[in-house]
């Protein structure tokens, strides 16, 4: 089978639209993961042991089970308990939960890198827990976490094809549909590979540049 440039031109608009959907899925999923991951990280450091243990077990469960299983669980099992979600919403929640578990470990590493003396100083001047994290700890913990957070952003982008299992119209689902309709899979799947490669390389370079800029600002090298 040879490459058909005319067919490529015909399917390109549809593939580009699917690419936009994929980027939206990755962005929204990451936003959920970034916020929830920070909640998980802080919750595991509380003095209330039942909460700490519960959140730790949730994080371990999410990290130890496949993303595709969690997607199926949210979308298909949820309705049995009265929680019916659209494929998009179910997919975003599943991705957000799954990667929140991983990002919580990135945050935890950043938080634990803050010198103990900083915590003691906050206690000495009677700062509340919220003030301690917001004013002192997080501004120091987040910059060293940028590289790890960026890597998981790329991972989320590369995992978005899993959403096709519940009918989300992302890039891989569009390529499969086009291939099935026209009995040509070479062009759509090659476009998928090229798009993922370009966006992943661009994202990785951007993250490295941002991380280097942060380190220079902080005088880390």
């Amino acid at each position: 089978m040879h490459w058909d440039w005319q067919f490529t031109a015909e399917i390109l608009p549809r593939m580009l639209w699917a690419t936009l959907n994929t980027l939206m899925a990755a962005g929204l999923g990451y936003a959920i993961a970034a916020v929830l991951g920070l909640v998980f990280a802080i919750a595991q450091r509380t003095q209330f042991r039942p909460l700490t243990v519960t959140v730790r077990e949730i994080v371990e469960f999410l990290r130890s089970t496949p993303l595709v299983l969690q997607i199926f669980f949210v979308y298909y099992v949820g309705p049995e308990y009265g929680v019916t979600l659209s494929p998009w919403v179910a997919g975003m929640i599943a991705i957000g939960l799954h990667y929140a578990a991983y990002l919580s470990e990135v945050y935890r590493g950043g938080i634990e890198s803050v010198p103990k003396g900083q915590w003691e100083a906050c206690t000495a001047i009677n700062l509340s827990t919220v003030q301690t994290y917001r004013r002192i700890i997080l501004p120091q913990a987040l910059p060293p976490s940028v590289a790890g957070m960026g890597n998981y952003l790329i991972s989320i982008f590369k995992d978005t094809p899993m959403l096709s299992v519940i009918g989300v119209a992302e890039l891989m689902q569009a390529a499969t549909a086009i291939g099935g309709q026209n009995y040509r899979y070479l062009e759509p799947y090659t476009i998928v590979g090229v798009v993922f490669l370009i966006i992943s390389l661009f994202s990785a370079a951007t993250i490295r540049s941002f991380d280097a800029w942060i380190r220079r600002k902080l005088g880390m090298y």
Side-chain angles (χ1 to χ4, degrees):
M1 179 179 291
H2 67 281
W3 184 273
D4 188 334
W5 287 105
Q6 182 177 352
F7 178 61
T8 302
E10 291 174 359
I11 68 173
L12 194 57
R14 185 173 173 183
M15 297 296 290
L16 291 176
W17 181 256
T19 299
L20 178 60
N21 285 342
T22 298
L23 291 172
M24 288 175 58
L28 292 172
Y30 186 79
I32 294 172
V35 174
L36 193 56
L38 183 58
V39 172
F40 283 165
I42 294 175
Q44 292 183 74
R45 297 182 59 87
T46 66
Q47 300 301 314
F48 185 54
R49 184 165 178 75
L51 175 61
T52 300
V53 172
T54 299
V55 173
R56 186 172 298 148
E57 292 303 317
I58 290 173
V59 168
E60 286 303 314
F61 173 79
L62 292 171
R63 293 177 64 199
S64 302
T65 54
L67 173 57
V68 68
L69 174 63
Q70 294 168 21
I71 293 172
F72 277 130
F73 193 92
V74 173
Y75 186 64
Y76 290 111
V77 178
E80 297 182 12
Y81 295 90
V83 182
T84 303
L85 303 171
S86 69
W88 262 102
V89 175
M92 296 307 97
I93 290 175
I95 286 179
L97 284 171
H98 185 77
Y99 278 96
Y102 288 98
L103 284 177
S104 70
E105 293 301 298
V106 175
Y107 289 133
R108 185 173 64 84
I111 291 172
E112 291 181 353
S113 70
V114 178
K116 186 178 179 181
Q118 298 288 310
W119 296 90
E120 295 172 347
C122 292
T123 301
I125 61 177
N126 201 31
L127 288 180
S128 67
T129 301
V130 173
Q131 290 174 323
T132 297
Y133 275 104
R134 183 168 62 86
R135 296 183 179 181
I136 308 299
I137 303 304
L138 292 182
Q140 298 179 72
L142 292 180
S145 304
V146 167
M149 294 172 67
N151 289 336
Y152 282 119
L153 173 60
I154 297 173
S155 295
I156 288 178
F157 173 69
K158 292 190 292 185
D159 277 348
T160 53
M162 292 189 187
L163 298 180
S164 63
V165 299
I166 57 173
V168 174
E170 48 71 55
L171 193 55
M172 184 63 74
Q173 197 270 349
T176 302
I178 291 172
Q181 292 166 2
N182 299 275
Y183 302 102
R184 289 192 66 94
Y185 292 92
L186 173 62
E187 291 85 1
Y189 281 149
T190 300
I191 291 174
V192 170
V194 171
V195 168
F196 273 94
L197 177 63
I198 291 174
I199 294 179
S200 294
L201 291 176
F202 175 77
S203 299
T206 301
I207 292 164
R208 285 195 298 269
S209 298
F210 184 64
D211 182 47
W213 179 79
I214 287 289
R215 291 175 179 273
R216 285 196 298 270
K217 284 291 184 180
L218 297 177
M220 297 176 70
Y221 63 70

